[in-house]
C-alpha cells in the first residue's frame, strides 16, 4: 500500500506543495460595483461578463472579490479588500459583523440605508412588475441601534467546576455553529439587560449541561421581557395577560394608544418604536378608502391576521370585522385583543377567501408571510367585489410579483410606503394601497 494513500474522512498528509493548514485558493477579481440589489449585495460583472453578487460591497466601489459560488451565468463573492471605498462606507460597529449572519449592512452609513433600499425596491418593481412606484414613495425610519424587541438566541450551558456557565449566541449563516456575544447593539436595552442579568440565573438550572437551545425573547417595550423555548412556555417577569394561563409567555404591548396582547411564542413586529408609523399609514389608507367610496365601512376583512393587530387598531371604524388566521396561538390572543363584534376564523386565508367571495366593497387588509399571496388568493381577489386592498408585506420581491398579478384585474397602486423595521440589515417592509 502506498504511503500516500488517502481515505475519505482521514486528514490528508502534508506535502511540500500542500501545507496541512492551507485550503485551495479561491479565484479573486477586481470589480467595480454597479448597484445594490435585493439582499444588500453589490452587483458587478466579471471580466468574462458574468454577473457577480458581492457581499460587503457598496455601489461605486472598486473591490477585490473572492468568489464563493460560481455557475455558468452568475457568481457570488465577498469583498476581501476595498480598493476605492464609497463615501457612504463606515466601520461596522459590532465585532460579530460578518460572523453571526445578521446586520449585514453595518458597513453602510445608517443615515443612508433607507435611501439605498428605496432605490433597490424601485428597481424591483420596474423589473418584476413593470410598474413604477409613485414619486412620493417614502421610507419611514426609526432608531438605528437598540431597536429590536424580539430575537431568537441560542443558549449554551457548560460546567466549570461546580458552576454552570451560561452563554448566548446567534446561529451563523447556513450553519449550526454559534457566534457567541455578550451584548448585541441592535437588541433593545431591556433584552440586553435581561441576557446579562436575570437570564443567566434562569437558564443555568433549566437546560442540560453541554446543550444548545434556541430561545425566543420578547420585550413589550416597557421593560417586560418574556421568553419561549421548545414546547415549554415561561414568564421572565410579571403577571400574565388576562385570560391566558400563567405559564404562558404573554405580555401587554402598548402601541398607538392601544394595549395589544402578544407573547414570545407567536409572531409580532420586532421594532416597536417604528410600529406606530405603520399603524398610522394603514389608518390613513382606510380613511381615504372610506371617504372616496372605494371601500365600505360595512366590513373589514383582515387576512393573515396574526394576533388581530390591524383589526384591533381599526375595528371602531367598521360595523363588522372578520379576521382569518390558522395559527391557534395567534387566535388565542386575537380573541383577547378584539371585541365581541369581531369574528375570528381559524383557516388558511386563501381557503377562506375562495369560499367567501366578497360581494360587498369591503375593506381588505392582507399581511402574508414572505412567500406572499398564494395564486388561489389573488384569483379570488380578482373575482371578488373588493375594489380597494391594503397590502402589508415583509418581502418586496413577492409583493412586486403579486402586484403584477393583481394589475391584470385592474388594481393600480394608489399609495406606497416602506418601513425600515430592521436597520443595519437589507430587509424592508412595505405597504401598498391597491385600488380599481
Amino acid at each position: 500500500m502506498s504511503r500516500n494513500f488517502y481515505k475519505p474522512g482521514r486528514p490528508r498528509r502534508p506535502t511540500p506543495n500542500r501545507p496541512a493548514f492551507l485550503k485551495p485558493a479561491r479565484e479573486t477579481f477586481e470589480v467595480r460595483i454597479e448597484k445594490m440589489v435585493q439582499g444588500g449585495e453589490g452587483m458587478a460583472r466579471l471580466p468574462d461578463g458574468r454577473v457577480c453578487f458581492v457581499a460587503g460591497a457598496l455601489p461605486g466601489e472598486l473591490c477585490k472579490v473572492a468568489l464563493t459560488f460560481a455557475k455558468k451565468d452568475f457568481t457570488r463573492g465577498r469583498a476581501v479588500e476595498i480598493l476605492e471605498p464609497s463615501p457612504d462606507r463606515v466601520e461596522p460597529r459590532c465585532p460579530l459583523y460578518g460572523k453571526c449572519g445578521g446586520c449585514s449592512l453595518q458597513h453602510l452609513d445608517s443615515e443612508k440605508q433607507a435611501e439605498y433600499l428605496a432605490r433597490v425596491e424601485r428597481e424591483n418593481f420596474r423589473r418584476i412588475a413593470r410598474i413604477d412606484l409613485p414619486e412620493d414613495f417614502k421610507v419611514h425610519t426609526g432608531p438605528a441601534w437598540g431597536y429590536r424587541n424580539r430575537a431568537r438566541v441560542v443558549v449554551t450551558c457548560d460546567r466549570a467546576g461546580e458552576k454552570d456557565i451560561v452563554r448566548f449566541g446567534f446561529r451563523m449563516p447556513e450553519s449550526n455553529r454559534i457566534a457567541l456575544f455578550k451584548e448585541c447593539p441592535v437588541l433593545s436595552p431591556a433584552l440586553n439587560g435581561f441576557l446579562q442579568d436575570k437570564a443567566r440565573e434562569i437558564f443555568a438550572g433549566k437546560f442540560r449541561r453541554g446543550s444548545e437551545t434556541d430561545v425566543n425573547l420578547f420585550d413589550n417595550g416597557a421593560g417586560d421581557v418574556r421568553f419561549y423555548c421548545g414546547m415549554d412556555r415561561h414568564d421572565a417577569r410579571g403577571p400574565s395577560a388576562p385570560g391566558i394561563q400563567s405559564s404562558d409567555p404573554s405580555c401587554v404591548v402598548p402601541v398607538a394608544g392601544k394595549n395589544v396582547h402578544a407573547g414570545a411564542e407567536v409572531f409580532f413586529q420586532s421594532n416597536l418604536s417604528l410600529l406606530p408609523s405603520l399603524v398610522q399609514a394603514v389608518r390613513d389608507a382606510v380613511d381615504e378608502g372610506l371617504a372616496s367610496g372605494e371601500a365600505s365601512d360595512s366590513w373589514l376583512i383582515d387576512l393573515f391576521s396574526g394576533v388581530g393587530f390591524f383589526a384591533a387598531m381599526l375595528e371602531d371604524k367598521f360595523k363588522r370585522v372578520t379576521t382569518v388566521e390558522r395559527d391557534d396561538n395567534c387566535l388565542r390572543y386575537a380573541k383577547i385583543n378584539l371585541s365581541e363584534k369581531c369574528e375570528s376564523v381559524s383557516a388558511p386565508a386563501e381557503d377562506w377567501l375562495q369560499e367567501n367571495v366578497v360581494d360587498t366593497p369591503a375593506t381588505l387588509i392582507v399581511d402574508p408571510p414572505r412567500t406572499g399571496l398564494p395564486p388561489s388568493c389573488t384569483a379570488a381577489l380578482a373575482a371578488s367585489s373588493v375594489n380597494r386592498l391594503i397590502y402589508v408585506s415583509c418581502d418586496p420581491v413577492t409583493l412586486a410579483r403579486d402586484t403584477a398579478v393583481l394589475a391584470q384585474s385592474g388594481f393600480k397602486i394608489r399609495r406606497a410606503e416602506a418601513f425600515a423595521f430592521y436597520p443595519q440589515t437589507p430587509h424592508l417592509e412595505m405597504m401598498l394601497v391597491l385600488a380599481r
Side-chain angles (χ1 to χ4, degrees), residues 20-74:
F21 57 85
L22 288 184
K23 296 181 179 179
R26 292 173 174 168
E27 267 190 300
T28 60
F29 297 90
E30 284 189 13
V31 297
R32 179 75 66 180
I33 306 300
E34 298 178 13
K35 60 184 177 181
M36 181 180 285
V37 297
Q38 187 69 32
E41 296 171 313
M43 194 204 85
R45 294 186 185 275
L46 301 183
D48 62 8
R50 284 181 297 171
V51 168
C52 184
F53 300 107
V54 185
L58 296 176
E61 292 185 328
L62 182 65
C63 305
K64 185 177 181 181
V65 174
L67 296 191
T68 57
F69 176 85
K71 293 190 74 173
K72 183 179 294 186
D73 53 347
F74 78 97

Side-chain angles (χ1 to χ4, degrees), residues 73-147:
D73 53 347
F74 78 97
T75 63
R76 292 191 183 279
R78 59 181 177 84
V80 294
E81 186 177 355
I82 308 299
L83 304 174
E84 295 180 11
S86 163
D88 297 330
R89 175 173 288 276
V90 296
E91 189 67 24
R93 176 170 168 177
C94 178
L96 291 184
Y97 168 77
K99 297 178 181 178
C100 81
C103 299
S104 59
L105 277 191
Q106 283 192 51
H107 59 285
L108 175 59
D109 185 349
S110 298
E111 297 296 322
K112 296 286 187 176
Q113 290 176 14
E115 176 186 329
Y116 276 67
L117 295 178
R119 203 176 301 148
V120 170
E121 302 319 333
R122 285 188 181 279
E123 181 169 332
N124 279 338
F125 271 76
R126 291 191 195 102
R127 177 176 54 85
I128 299 171
R130 302 286 189 261
I131 294 172
D132 284 323
L133 290 173
E135 287 295 322
D136 61 356
F137 173 54
K138 177 183 179 181
V139 179
H140 298 263
T141 60
W145 303 96
Y147 64 83

Side-chain angles (χ1 to χ4, degrees), residues 11 24 49 64 66 122 159 172 187 262 278 280 327 333 349 351 358 367 369 372 374-375 389 410 427:
K64 185 177 181 181
R122 285 188 181 279
R159 189 180 181 97
M172 293 185 180
L187 294 187
L278 174 59
Q280 189 59 54
D327 183 274
Y333 286 112
D351 293 349
V358 181
D367 185 7
L389 166 67
H427 300 295

